[in-house]
Amino acid sequence: MNWSVEGIPGGNGVVGTISATGLYTAPQNLPAQNPVHIQASSQADNSKSATATLNVTSDLTVSITPATADVELGATRPFQASVTGSGNPNRAVNWSMAGLGCAGAACGMIDANGLFTAPQILPAPPGVTLTARSAADPSKSAFAALSIVSHFTLTLAGPSSLVAGAAATFTATLTPAPNSNPSTALSWSVSGPGCTSVACGTIVSTGATTASYTAPLTPPSPNTVNVAATPAADPAKTASASVTITSTEPVVVKLTPLTATRAVNHRQTFSAQVSGTSNQNVTWQVNGRPGGDTTAGQICVAGVNPCQPVSTTNGSSVDYLAPASVPSRNPVTVSAVSQANPSKSGTAQVTILAHIQVNISPPSVTLAPYSTQQFTLIVEGTSNQAVTWQVFGPGCGGGGSPCGAIDSTGFYTAPLAPPSPDAVTVSATSSEDTSRSGTAAVTIATGAVITTLLPASVTAGAAGGFTLKVAGANFIASSPGPGSTILFNSSPRSTNCASSNECATTLSAADVATAASLPVQIRNPDNTTSNQVSIVVMPLAASDDVIPLTPAAPIATGKNIIVAEPTTAGTSADLNLNVVAAGLYSADSNTCVLGSSSLVLVRPGSATSNADICAFSLSGLDPALNYTLTGPAPNDIIIVAKQPLGL
């Protein structure tokens, strides 16, 4: 006998398999076509056959542990999904979440392993439902009830009184709950029982945690106002400070900066500003001791090395020199006390570190192949922020850049494919102290990744259908199959994947009938999906416009030109390429300087150098085609990437 399932000899993993003796094994996932049909045909006469019909059933149950949980803002919490049932079903689940007061990332994020990351801003209401749905039988799922909670504290510091028309800095301190990461965004406001709007004064944000308040020119009645900082993470935790507005100016000593972090034997410059008196003299103290000492740190004449101790200045700047070891009382307090009114002083807190610390953000990240990530850093303990960036890992050897590349600003470009092993470390080493460095872990995604849509935009109402090509990595070719499927606007489409890097489908005029931004994804046979990108359907212009240009008036302003990418996606057999200008492109400023003369690239003395080139062609540069640059022998110019920018 010859056995087959749904016309497939021996069956496959989608509809089930059958052995030469007629033993049928059901698939691990419920088949889309159910029941399935098993055929047996005679080997002696293949025109003689019989068919059996059977239903593939599921007795799966899904559970989530824990079933309820409180999760702090920005904190992570692991969840475990269990799929049980007879037979040998696919045990994988697909995670999702929703809430009455949130949608998408506002409800948090969860990865494929069930690690939930709470949102940084509290939803209202704060409940979120976590769903684990069986990949084998999507009708079977389990739910966990989460409550996003907020236990951070917010305090506000600033002067308690101000003269009319004067300005002062208010500083908010947001202290997260342990292992949480709430949003630090703040909004500022000022109000009072005897005033409204600008009659209470004005307040403007000057940094992530600071704001500048300017008192009104005329004190309100009553003459008290409230300065408030409201956190975006939880507006119920608004912090406020009461300020009395007076008509006479008191003596005020303002010390800048208010906080600092310095490693041992490092310096920090402080400036004192005295208002309300003509006597600008101040006495400098460290932990209450005039001039400080070698244990807590010393006050020195600014810019003089070695330290020239000083305890009194006429309101000018000084240098604080940290001690040679971390003091037992840390941080230390630097004060400037007014000699005109010794009850008035300005203070600053200095945290002493045992050595320079290099901190990189984000500390870990997972990137798609050939995507980019801007890393930022803070070198604590010194004013010298210069570092040397490097990329290394156990799979980074050999030619090219198998682990990606990073420039002097911390801008990292991932490799075209994950290295082996898939572990990349980005490091920043202090230029001042090369023994101190910070690191960040980079993982290159191995699932399906979309990098390009061809075309990426079309005009609404276009007649006829067209081919949508999806380029990327880790697709499953259609032959021998089953291959990957293109999900257009969440709907699976008939797909042909020529390779692991390209899939295509046909879209009709009805698919792009109205202007919209439509999502596109790749779904592999194992039901995993790629990143989501969008094809932009632009509105059809209601009428034509004229741009009047003459030799006497060669410039027109206020004219917008919207151009859709050609819907042929470069499939035309004819190509008339006419590059009329080329030049150097600046990725930092997104500018291109075009010229009609030849473009000269300087050959490096050793190693390699990179150049970003922009070119303008009347016929357009199709990313589906390959381009070659030629130069003097040996031709060592290689195009490593290309992207159309509209022209």
Side-chain angles (χ1 to χ4, degrees):
M1 287 295 203
N2 293 321
W3 294 91
S4 63
V5 184
E6 293 297 340
I8 303 171
N12 60 22
V14 176
V15 297
T17 60
I18 190 165
S19 70
T21 62
L23 179 61
Y24 174 76
T25 302
Q28 289 190 303
N29 297 335
L30 281 178
Q33 180 178 334
N34 199 10
V36 298
H37 302 87
I38 298 175
Q39 298 85 25
S41 61
S42 169
Q43 291 182 348
D45 183 356
N46 58 15
S47 66
K48 308 300 182 179
S49 63
T51 300
T53 301
L54 59 85
N55 281 304
V56 180
T57 62
S58 163
D59 62 351
L60 299 182
T61 60
V62 183
S63 62
I64 297 180
T65 304
T68 62
D70 292 344
V71 188
E72 194 72 31
L73 289 173
T76 58
R77 178 66 183 265
F79 288 84
Q80 180 69 43
S82 297
V83 179
T84 58
S86 59
N88 183 31
N90 184 356
R91 307 288 178 175
V93 297
N94 295 316
W95 295 92
S96 62
M97 68 195 68
L100 294 177
C102 59
C107 294
M109 296 181 294
I110 190 164
D111 65 15
N113 297 317
L115 182 63
F116 173 74
T117 302
Q120 292 183 299
I121 296 176
L122 190 68
V128 173
T129 299
L130 185 64
T131 303
R133 190 171 303 278
S134 169
D137 184 356
S139 68
K140 305 300 176 63
S141 60
F143 307 93
L146 311 185
S147 180
I148 310 304
V149 296
S150 164
H151 290 99
F152 69 85
T153 60
L154 183 68
T155 58
L156 189 61
S160 60
S161 64
L162 276 177
V163 67
T169 297
F170 283 80
T171 301
T173 301
L174 190 153
T175 304
N179 301 317
S180 68
N181 184 29
S183 170
T184 57
L186 300 171
S187 59
W188 297 84
S189 61
V190 59
S191 61
C195 58
T196 58
S197 189
V198 295
C200 297
T202 58
I203 191 163
V204 178
S205 175
T206 56
T209 61
T210 59
S212 177
Y213 168 68
T214 302
L217 295 177
T218 302
S221 181
N223 66 334
T224 300
V225 300
N226 291 314
V227 173
T230 300
D234 186 355
K237 295 185 179 294
T238 296
S240 62
S242 179
V243 183
T244 301
I245 311 300
T246 63
S247 56
T248 58
E249 185 175 5
V251 174
V252 175
V253 181
K254 182 179 179 181
L255 192 61
T256 54
L258 296 176
T259 60
T261 301
R262 283 294 178 264
V264 294
N265 293 321
H266 280 69
R267 294 191 177 212
Q268 171 66 52
T269 300
F270 287 98
S271 298
Q273 181 180 0
V274 183
S275 59
T277 177
S278 59
N279 184 352
Q280 297 292 298
N281 290 336
V282 295
T283 299
W284 293 90
Q285 300 177 349
V286 180
N287 287 350
R289 181 182 295 274
D293 55 31
T294 57
T295 300
Q298 294 178 279
I299 302 297
C300 313
V301 176
V304 175
N305 193 15
C307 174
Q308 181 178 330
V310 64
S311 60
T312 301
T313 65
N314 187 27
S316 59
S317 298
V318 297
D319 281 351
Y320 164 76
L321 175 62
S325 61
V326 177
S328 58
R329 178 181 170 184
N330 193 19
V332 300
T333 301
V334 174
S335 306
V337 181
S338 169
Q339 291 189 349
N341 184 352
S343 67
K344 304 296 182 181
S345 63
T347 62
Q349 301 294 311
V350 184
T351 301
I352 310 301
L353 303 178
H355 50 72
I356 292 173
Q357 295 180 358
V358 182
N359 300 312
I360 300 179
S361 180
S364 63
V365 66
T366 299
L367 299 175
Y370 209 60
S371 60
T372 60
Q373 172 69 46
Q374 178 65 63
F375 287 96
T376 60
L377 62 82
I378 297 178
V379 183
E380 292 187 315
T382 178
S383 59
N384 185 353
Q385 298 293 300
V387 297
T388 300
W389 291 92
Q390 289 181 308
V391 176
F392 59 88
C396 298
S401 301
C403 288
I406 194 165
D407 65 14
S408 60
T409 68
F411 187 74
Y412 172 76
T413 301
L416 290 172
S420 180
D422 189 1
V424 178
T425 299
V426 169
S427 114
T429 302
S430 168
S431 298
E432 177 181 332
D433 184 354
T434 56
S435 68
R436 301 299 168 186
S437 61
T439 61
V442 179
T443 302
I444 309 303
T446 57
V449 175
I450 298 177
T451 58
T452 307
L453 290 184
L454 305 172
S457 60
V458 295
T459 301
F466 64 93
T467 298
L468 174 67
K469 288 187 177 181
V470 181
N474 302 323
F475 304 161
I476 305 301
S478 298
S479 177
S484 299
T485 302
I486 293 177
L487 302 180
F488 176 78
N489 201 18
S490 302
S491 174
R493 297 301 179 96
S494 177
T495 305
N496 178 43
C497 296
S499 67
S500 62
N501 303 110
E502 181 181 289
C503 294
T505 189
T506 299
L507 299 183
S508 66
D511 290 322
V512 293
T514 58
S517 181
L518 302 176
V520 177
Q521 283 183 289
I522 288 288
R523 183 175 67 194
N524 278 347
D526 61 359
N527 280 328
T528 61
T529 54
S530 71
N531 56 313
Q532 179 175 293
V533 298
S534 295
I535 181 171
V536 178
V537 183
M538 300 185 300
L540 183 65
S543 61
D544 293 336
D545 194 8
V546 176
I547 301 178
L549 297 177
T550 66
I555 298 176
T557 59
K559 300 290 186 179
N560 293 326
I561 302 176
I562 302 176
V563 180
E565 292 186 351
T567 57
T568 58
T571 58
S572 171
D574 299 324
L575 176 67
N576 180 19
L577 180 62
N578 181 18
V579 176
V580 297
L584 292 179
Y585 172 73
S586 172
D588 293 334
S589 60
N590 194 29
T591 57
C592 174
V593 180
L594 294 174
S596 59
S597 60
S598 299
L599 183 62
V600 178
L601 300 179
V602 178
R603 187 190 302 275
S606 61
T608 61
S609 65
N610 296 326
D612 292 326
I613 300 175
C614 50
F616 172 74
S617 168
L618 294 177
S619 57
L621 297 175
D622 189 337
L625 301 179
N626 292 321
Y627 303 96
T628 302
L629 292 180
T630 59
N635 181 20
D636 54 0
I637 301 175
I638 301 172
I639 299 178
V640 295
K642 55 187 180 293
Q643 180 176 352
L645 298 179
L647 295 178

